[in-house]
Amino acid sequence: MTIKLKGLKLSSAVLTLLISIPMVTIFLFLFIGNTENWEHIKNTVLLDYIYNTLYIMIGVGLLTTLLGFTTAYLISLYEFSFSKIFDYALILPFAIPTYIMAFIYNGMFGISGNVTGYFLGLMDKNISEVPFWDIQSIEGAVIVMSLVLYPYVYLVCRTYLSFESSSIIEAAKTFNLNTWQILKKVILPISRPAIIAGSTLAVMEAVSDFGVMDYFGVNTFVTGIFRLWEGMGSIEDASKLASILMTFIFILILLERFQRRNKVYKSSGKDFRPITKIKLSGYQNVLAVVICFIPLFFGFLMPFVQLIFWFIDSYKTVIDEDFIELFFRTIQLGVISATVITSIALLVVYNFRINKDKTSSSLVQITKLGYSIPGAVVAVGILSFFGILNEYMLKLFDTSFLVSGTALAVVFGYLVRFIAISINNFEAGFNRIPQSYDDAAQISGIGQFKTFRKVIFPLIKNSAFASFIIIFIEVVKELPLTMVLRPFDYNTLAIRAFELNEQAQTIESAVPSMCIVIIGIISVILLTRNMKKA
């Protein structure tokens, strides 16, 4: 058994080393000397990248907090018309990738959008004769991304508040505090860790975004990395820019962890009672419905209906044999990647459960760092590392080691980027299984493998299923990492949607976009059912 346990730890260590290679490679570029291109970037666009990235971070952080916390607060503490439907429906914007939302909003409200054209026709004027705010701007990018990303704050705050005890609110009422005072002096302070955690996730997604920024013409670190890699062919400068962005994000993570150090507001177990929801009526009921309906309408219903109309207009010209092949290729890539990532995450987490030492714990934490790094940075890290490796192989053995530009590199990129999601799922699943189950199996003389197969796996299969579904949809939606690492002429639904929009074929792009959104909706439904079952 000892040999098997050592083998499990060794496998985890090797996999962690492999997963951390792109991050270490990118980090080392911080200390490499400047090229001529880099001096030009530093003197011309670097400040723009920093300013725009900070603007996006602050804007998305504030707006997602407003939308996510407000709706979570209403759903958690009050009962009003359709509140049970809103409880699940408010998650639906997750099904629409940010770049598809940008295509739809620009197709409706841009300079040549159908809604813009309709109102100009009603007024019998052209665009230059009326005050017009162009959605293809940094402010438009903030709004579009916030409408898709607010469910991060909603879900974290909703879960957090569901574990709060009604005794906290009842205690506040004994001090004659009214509803607003309870919100300001009790609910907001105890929810602060959840708000910060949810908004940090949303901000990291926004900072990592390529599709919206490139489409709206906003210069950020990620668009700069693409220009350096694709436009100038300079992998060294792209890696250096990526290293600065990675440092930027690590500082954000450290700040988030610093703010919630020693902050514990949870009710103690013995006085816990679920919050008794207050039933709203009259104008308060209407107001609660309107507040929850606004983000759902602009974040899902309106763009989804528009997508349906465009899909009906264009599917006959877009769907052909090549498109069907593209569709199944995307599904195949999602299934293979989700299976590989879920299996490796299970191995790493199970190693920690069995060995319970600092080394195993560190392996889990290092492996999870990849999720905080933008897809473009991960891709550049992989290209840099395998490029260096290939050079040495040519010098030493006169043979090449080509991994970049293969499907293997794409799956490896997904592994680095998304394994943290899978690990979090398994950690939550294992935490619900008492350690006494393992001890009882060990005393009974049941082998480790048999214990896992007969006892542990049946108890974590819901976590494994949730992990598989989440990774699958993330892979289907992923854009920048796939664009950089894919083999030549290897497209996915996300890349096809992006390319059609770049060619000003917004209506045609609705077909691949609709496929992604439908897959996302099915995934959200499956996850919700799995959560209930768990």
Side-chain angles (χ1 to χ4, degrees), residues 159-215:
T159 305
Y160 195 83
L161 288 171
S162 70
F163 285 103
E164 284 301 338
S165 174
S166 63
S167 59
I168 292 178
I169 298 173
E170 287 163 9
K173 285 180 179 174
T174 61
F175 290 97
N176 292 323
L177 298 181
N178 61 32
T179 304
W180 288 108
Q181 288 171 323
I182 291 174
L183 172 62
K184 184 181 171 186
K185 296 185 176 180
V186 180
I187 303 296
L188 270 173
I190 64 171
S191 303
R192 197 177 75 176
I195 293 171
I196 299 292
S199 59
T200 302
L201 284 172
V203 165
M204 286 200 296
E205 285 289 327
V207 169
S208 308
D209 184 271
F210 167 71
V212 179
M213 300 306 161
D214 186 67
Y215 188 60

Side-chain angles (χ1 to χ4, degrees), residues 2 10 99 144 181 193 225 235 260 405 438 477:
T2 307
L10 184 63
Y99 54 88
V144 164
Q181 288 171 323
I225 291 167
I235 193 71
R260 63 184 165 93
D438 303 59
K477 293 191 313 186

Side-chain angles (χ1 to χ4, degrees), residues 210-509:
F210 167 71
V212 179
M213 300 306 161
D214 186 67
Y215 188 60
F216 280 8
V218 180
N219 289 327
T220 62
F221 278 102
V222 176
T223 58
I225 291 167
F226 262 83
R227 283 194 194 107
L228 285 167
W229 166 72
E230 196 175 38
M232 302 172 75
S234 174
I235 193 71
E236 293 82 9
D237 294 318
S239 300
K240 198 167 185 67
L241 198 58
S243 67
I244 296 176
L245 177 57
M246 196 169 80
T247 309
F248 215 62
I249 289 176
F250 281 163
I251 291 171
L252 183 69
I253 294 170
L254 289 175
L255 287 174
E256 189 271 333
R257 292 191 176 178
F258 177 76
Q259 75 80 35
R260 63 184 165 93
R261 73 195 190 290
N262 301 325
K263 301 278 191 312
V264 180
Y265 298 98
K266 300 293 292 178
S267 307
S268 65
K270 61 182 180 181
D271 67 351
F272 176 81
R273 280 178 289 112
I275 291 174
T276 306
K277 293 186 181 181
I278 300 169
K279 192 166 185 177
L280 298 178
S281 60
Y283 80 91
Q284 291 179 326
N285 180 59
V286 174
L287 187 62
V289 172
V290 170
I291 289 173
C292 290
F293 185 71
I294 287 173
L296 176 62
F297 178 76
F298 289 104
F300 180 76
L301 295 177
M302 185 185 74
F304 186 60
V305 170
Q306 178 63 79
L307 207 55
I308 290 172
F309 279 109
W310 285 341
F311 179 86
I312 293 170
D313 281 349
S314 60
Y315 76 93
K316 287 181 182 173
T317 58
V318 176
I319 296 180
D320 52 19
E321 282 187 12
D322 289 343
F323 184 84
I324 292 169
E325 187 184 337
L326 173 77
F327 177 83
F328 284 109
R329 183 190 300 150
T330 307
I331 298 292
Q332 185 186 40
L333 186 63
V335 170
I336 291 172
S337 303
T339 305
V340 170
I341 294 169
T342 301
S343 305
I344 291 177
L346 177 57
L347 187 147
V348 173
V349 179
Y350 191 54
N351 168 58
F352 176 57
R353 181 179 176 90
I354 291 176
N355 289 299
K356 301 182 197 67
D357 54 17
K358 284 185 179 176
T359 307
S360 302
S361 172
S362 301
L363 292 177
V364 174
Q365 298 308 319
I366 292 169
T367 309
K368 285 164 74 174
L369 285 175
Y371 189 63
S372 59
I373 303 172
V377 177
V378 171
V380 170
I382 291 171
L383 284 180
S384 298
F385 172 71
F386 285 116
I388 294 167
L389 191 63
N390 191 45
E391 276 183 31
Y392 278 101
M393 291 291 284
L394 280 171
K395 282 180 186 173
L396 295 176
F397 305 105
D398 198 25
T399 183
S400 61
F401 184 74
L402 290 176
V403 174
S404 306
T406 65
L408 180 63
V410 178
V411 176
F412 179 57
Y414 294 148
L415 173 66
V416 176
R417 179 87 171 91
F418 298 131
I419 194 171
I421 301 173
S422 188
I423 286 177
N424 285 339
N425 265 291
F426 282 120
E427 283 181 331
F430 275 116
N431 284 339
R432 288 196 291 268
I433 305 173
Q435 188 63 42
S436 56
Y437 286 23
D438 303 59
D439 299 337
Q442 194 173 357
I443 291 169
S444 304
I446 302 174
Q448 201 63 56
F449 179 72
K450 198 170 181 181
T451 302
F452 175 79
R453 189 164 59 86
K454 295 280 188 183
V455 181
I456 303 296
F457 188 73
L459 295 171
I460 55 156
K461 63 183 180 184
N462 284 328
S463 300
F465 180 74
S467 162
F468 180 89
I469 294 294
I470 296 172
I471 300 295
F472 174 76
I473 185 58
E474 288 287 352
V475 169
V476 170
K477 293 191 313 186
E478 221 293 326
L479 179 65
L481 188 148
T482 318
M483 282 182 73
V484 175
L485 294 176
R486 63 177 168 154
F488 176 71
D489 205 24
Y490 183 93
N491 275 358
T492 61
L493 288 169
I495 294 175
R496 176 62 64 85
F498 185 77
E499 286 177 346
L500 286 170
N501 266 284
E502 277 197 321
Q503 296 160 13
Q505 293 181 283
T506 302
I507 294 176
E508 288 76 8
S509 78

